[in-house]
Amino acid sequence: MTAKESAPGKEAAGASKKDHGVLYVGIDLGTSRTSIAASNGVRETVASVVGYPKDVVSQKLLQRDALFGDEAIENRLALRYYRPLEKGVIKGSDGKVLPKEEADANLKAARDLLRHAISLAQPRPDELVYGVVGAPAQASIQNQKMLVEAANEVLDAVMICSEPFAVAYGLEWLDDVLVIDIGAGTVDLCRMHGTMPDEGDQITLPTAGDWVDEQIEGLLRERCGGAQFTRQMVKNVKEKHSTVRDGGASIVVEFPVRGKPTSFDVTESVREGCRRIVPPIVESLGELVASFDPEFQERLRNRVLLAGGGSQIGGLDRAIEEAMRERLGGGRVIRIEEPVYGGANGALKIAHDMPPDFWQKLV
Amino acid sequence: MDGSIVERLRALLAGSTRTHSVRDLQRRGVTRIPVLGRDQLAALVEEAVAATLRDRGLLDERGEVAAEAMERAKGLLREVGRLEAEREASRRAGAEIERRVDELRREVFLAEGRLREAKVRARSDAPSPPTTVRGRIRELFAANASNAPGGIESIAAELETLLSEEVSRAVARARTEASREIEDLDRRVGRLRGALEKAESDLAARGQPAPPGIASIYRTVQGLDARERDFSRKRKLLERIFEANVRLQKETV
Ligand SMILES: Nc1ncnc2c1ncn2[C@@H]1O[C@H](COP(=O)(O)OP(=O)(O)O)[C@@H](O)[C@H]1O
Ligand SMILES: [Mg+2]
């Protein structure tokens, strides 16, 4: 800080003016989770749901204008409840015509969610907040505009960038990289080379986390006669025990049978359900490799990054490698260190690296 | 003692004395009354006040406000000054700790980033095991050893053993190096985290109100450092993101 900046008069004015510093934030506004990483060391994640009290009674009871994440999920019966994102973009921005009222409500929910995420980063009121928000690689211009609109109000300056690019940039893998991002609704595969990814560099699959839940649920319905359970319970079991590995401890859970808690060994169903995610991914990897410059195909095959909440399935990186070996003659897969924060960390790095004069033109 | 106090006592007495006529008193059967002159009374009051002051050590034997009391008052003033200076120093020390917390936070943040990168690098740098060595060697021999068909297989196997030993040594070396770097970084992050926690609890122990929000580790806008790895490549990519966003913003407004 220069002597001029710390002059007492200026300091006093600093309480309301934003001249104290600059807080960078990287945000991954995901369909299922929104995560933020900030240059004050804070990292937070919240389920992408927003709820507003339905009526005055609920409002009194909850003592808040809006609830987010798990808190909103717990109180959803008392709330007008929104999941403002779908397939990674704000609902109503993907060309599907929603009634205007509903589209507006979604945009508001998305904006409130962004604002909440930023508040989780605990910015000082006297600091500028510059943010980079990751958008799915396949997001249309219209989608991106909606994101910018939502973010403009809550950040001092904002840029949108492609989510897989952010993941790769965050790890300094700039060239010839294949990013697999396994979310709740979609698996996004993206080939990165030289320029920004374009249409032909991307494949989006519906066989993602939610689909795996569905698979496991189907298997359990066949195999655990009389057990009562919901999709959410299956998801919880998956997130706790997911694996594609052979061997290992058995997975035993309790489901009620006619109201009575009963133990079930669900090892096989969980493993089988999780394994089903592999073939479509490897199929798409094959397509992206095959349509790449032959000279660099081998390099690309050996630089596969696995990210997103769904990449936490135990042994998934090795399982994909194995399948690649069979189908593509080899390959190397690296699961990123922090699957949940991969996008946010990368977006933060982009925000930091962005030259000052670029930011200047956007504030 | 201050003369004006005596004056005021006199005036007070004058204002609050009642008068009775002698006949009146006689009628009530009063024949003798004790008389205390106003001056006498004032003197008595003065005496009482002085005694009290003396008891409290504020007046010396000569009736002057005691030098000792003056000293004590001055001492108190000095004490106030000292306390104020102390408070200022403490405030400065608090700011210093706060600065240190910021600094530590920044170091932790940067070290954690390096650690993450090192871990990824460690996994990506290790050479792949030679799964196709046998095939390559067989190809090699098949291409120029048509005269020794029986020996190829055994030579290839031998060579493969040799090569794979060599490779696994190289892999092991690369792994130890990488893991040493990771261990170092891990320790460093651990130490920094410890220091940060201590500094933060020091700050809390000073009873300073929690600062509103957590300060960024940056005071000014940063931007890519020209000394960074792949600078021009990154710069180009960032430029492209920026341009796309300028277009987006134009259309949004
Ligand atoms: N430990 C885990 N094992 C397997 N799947 C997980 C685990 N934790 C979270 N998931 C799954 O990850 C998906 C969410 O991933 P995330 O990257 O947060 O999604 P999105 O990008 O769609 O917001 C969900 O399907 C969730 O069930
Ligand atoms: Mg995601």
Side-chain angles (χ1 to χ4, degrees):
Chain A
M1 192 192 272
T2 65
K4 195 173 148 220
E5 274 178 300
S6 60
K10 185 118 181 192
E11 196 81 321
S16 54
K17 261 180 28 199
K18 293 191 165 191
D19 58 1
H20 203 89
V22 52
L23 182 73
Y24 294 113
V25 296
I27 301 175
D28 171 359
L29 194 59
T31 308
S32 100
R33 299 203 73 80
T34 293
S35 308
I36 184 165
S39 67
N40 58 4
V42 175
R43 274 185 299 163
E44 289 287 345
T45 175
V46 58
S48 297
V49 299
V50 186
Y52 306 95
K54 265 184 187 154
D55 46 43
V56 186
V57 181
S58 315
Q59 166 114 36
K60 278 239 167 72
L61 205 67
L62 298 166
Q63 304 196 325
R64 229 98 35 89
D65 293 333
L67 275 70
F68 302 90
D70 290 342
E71 224 184 347
I73 296 172
E74 276 155 30
N75 293 291
R76 66 179 166 280
L77 295 181
L79 302 170
R80 275 184 297 117
Y81 187 70
Y82 294 90
R83 287 182 168 277
L85 297 128
E86 192 175 62
K87 301 204 180 94
V89 300
I90 298 172
K91 274 185 201 163
S93 69
D94 55 356
K96 219 180 354 175
V97 228
L98 281 184
K100 168 136 178 51
E101 218 168 276
E102 211 174 308
D104 287 351
N106 259 310
L107 183 59
K108 174 176 160 37
R111 190 180 294 141
D112 288 343
L113 181 61
L114 261 179
R115 189 179 288 123
H116 176 69
I118 290 160
S119 77
L120 291 177
Q122 300 174 259
R124 287 174 59 119
D126 54 2
E127 288 186 339
L128 290 163
V129 186
Y130 289 180
V132 168
V133 183
Q138 77 278 12
S140 66
I141 294 292
Q142 189 52 34
N143 297 153
Q144 296 181 34
K145 271 199 244 172
M146 286 283 258
L147 264 183
V148 170
E149 217 164 285
N152 264 342
E153 268 183 45
V154 284
L155 291 164
D156 292 296
V158 62
M159 293 199 208
I160 306 289
C161 90
S162 130
E163 184 80 24
F165 176 79
V167 171
Y169 189 91
L171 298 169
E172 309 233 351
W173 289 34
L174 307 178
D175 260 321
D176 307 332
V177 191
L178 261 164
V179 178
I180 310 174
D181 179 358
I182 307 180
T186 57
V187 176
D188 298 298
L189 293 101
C190 184
R191 186 172 65 194
M192 317 274 316
H193 60 95
T195 52
M196 287 306 192
D198 59 41
E199 203 100 316
D201 295 321
Q202 293 156 31
I203 297 180
T204 295
L205 302 169
T207 49
D210 292 345
W211 181 82
V212 170
D213 299 344
E214 215 175 290
Q215 300 301 305
I216 299 175
E217 185 186 359
L219 292 167
L220 291 177
R221 297 245 176 258
E222 279 169 28
R223 295 171 186 176
C224 304
Q228 299 169 290
F229 53 86
T230 61
R231 177 75 57 83
Q232 183 61 43
M233 287 159 77
V234 173
K235 184 176 170 191
N236 294 345
V237 170
K238 177 196 74 174
E239 291 183 2
K240 197 152 167 221
H241 302 286
S242 69
T243 182
V244 292
R245 291 194 193 98
D246 283 318
S250 331
I251 306 165
V252 178
V253 298
E254 277 193 351
F255 290 135
V257 175
R258 268 170 274 111
K260 178 168 169 275
T262 310
S263 292
F264 290 93
D265 184 332
V266 297
T267 318
E268 260 318 304
S269 305
V270 169
R271 189 157 50 203
E272 207 175 315
C274 288
R275 277 186 180 158
R276 289 184 185 172
I277 203 173
V278 177
I281 288 177
V282 175
E283 190 65 31
S284 306
L285 281 176
E287 281 174 41
L288 289 172
V289 170
S291 56
F292 199 54
D293 182 342
E295 209 175 311
F296 296 106
Q297 287 187 5
E298 165 141 21
R299 176 170 157 84
L300 189 63
R301 245 185 336 169
N302 286 316
R303 291 163 62 83
V304 177
L305 282 179
L306 196 54
S311 72
Q312 294 172 92
I313 294 175
L316 187 60
D317 43 357
R318 294 291 87 85
I320 294 176
E321 268 183 6
E322 227 164 86
M324 283 177 83
R325 195 147 41 238
E326 270 170 35
R327 178 147 177 345
L328 308 172
R332 303 203 77 203
V333 179
I334 289 180
R335 187 205 317 256
I336 68 166
E337 193 67 26
E338 298 169 298
V340 176
Y341 289 105
N345 283 340
L348 172 59
K349 193 167 166 63
I350 292 171
H352 168 276
D353 285 356
M354 196 59 76
D357 48 322
F358 289 3
W359 279 122
Q360 200 51 49
K361 290 189 187 107
L362 286 178
V363 290
Chain B
M1 191 169 167
D2 193 345
S4 69
I5 292 182
V6 180
E7 289 305 310
R8 284 192 51 207
L9 266 173
R10 282 211 188 91
L12 207 68
L13 286 172
S16 52
T17 38
R18 285 173 295 163
T19 48
H20 297 276
S21 69
V22 178
R23 204 155 4 113
D24 219 18
L25 289 171
Q26 268 176 343
R27 218 184 303 134
R28 283 201 252 151
V30 178
T31 52
R32 297 170 67 87
I33 42 169
V35 176
L36 187 62
R38 279 178 199 168
D39 289 346
Q40 248 175 314
L41 201 58
L44 281 173
V45 173
E46 187 185 359
E47 174 62 31
V49 170
T52 310
L53 287 177
R54 216 175 287 116
D55 280 352
R56 300 207 178 150
L58 293 171
L59 210 64
D60 64 11
E61 292 311 313
R62 280 171 297 136
E64 301 283 329
V65 173
E68 193 195 324
M70 290 290 280
E71 267 319 300
R72 219 184 296 164
K74 278 189 206 146
L76 280 171
L77 269 176
R78 271 197 302 275
E79 181 74 357
V80 168
R82 199 181 57 73
L83 284 172
E84 258 169 12
E86 208 170 78
R87 196 179 55 189
E88 174 58 19
S90 149
R91 194 193 58 73
R92 248 186 261 129
E96 173 58 26
I97 295 184
E98 211 173 314
R99 201 189 53 72
R100 178 92 185 110
V101 166
D102 272 2
E103 200 176 278
L104 281 168
R105 199 178 283 133
R106 167 204 203 100
E107 282 179 42
V108 168
F109 182 75
L110 296 176
E112 278 179 342
R114 277 201 294 279
L115 180 60
R116 267 199 298 279
E117 280 165 22
K119 281 184 179 164
V120 172
R121 232 180 302 124
R123 271 176 296 164
S124 60
D125 286 353
S128 327
T131 48
T132 58
V133 168
R134 183 188 283 256
R136 286 207 191 129
I137 292 171
R138 206 182 289 123
E139 259 172 41
L140 194 80
F141 275 68
N144 53 33
S146 52
N147 50 350
I152 288 180
E153 197 56 30
S154 68
I155 295 169
E158 214 167 289
L159 267 175
E160 184 186 0
T161 323
L162 265 174
L163 274 176
S164 73
E165 272 170 10
E166 193 48 46
V167 169
S168 49
R169 263 198 297 278
V171 170
R173 238 184 347 261
R175 289 237 168 88
T176 2
E177 257 164 48
S179 65
R180 205 171 297 135
E181 186 189 357
I182 288 173
E183 267 170 33
D184 282 352
L185 282 166
D186 252 334
R187 260 199 303 279
R188 183 161 157 66
V189 167
R191 254 203 323 272
L192 283 168
R193 280 216 162 282
L196 177 58
E197 258 163 44
K198 165 131 194 355
E200 272 174 341
S201 76
D202 280 357
L203 196 60
R206 303 186 72 88
Q208 301 211 338
I214 299 175
S216 171
I217 61 171
Y218 304 117
R219 289 281 145 265
T220 55
V221 185
Q222 300 292 300
L224 193 60
D225 189 329
R227 287 163 303 182
E228 240 189 87
R229 194 150 38 110
D230 298 328
F231 170 79
S232 56
R233 176 114 205 72
K234 285 181 186 162
R235 166 94 197 189
K236 222 169 276 156
L237 291 167
L238 294 168
E239 214 169 294
R240 207 149 293 131
I241 295 177
F242 166 69
E243 284 160 3
N245 275 280
V246 170
R247 281 195 298 276
L248 261 184
Q249 286 282 0
K250 271 202 196 110
E251 291 177 40
T252 311
V253 177

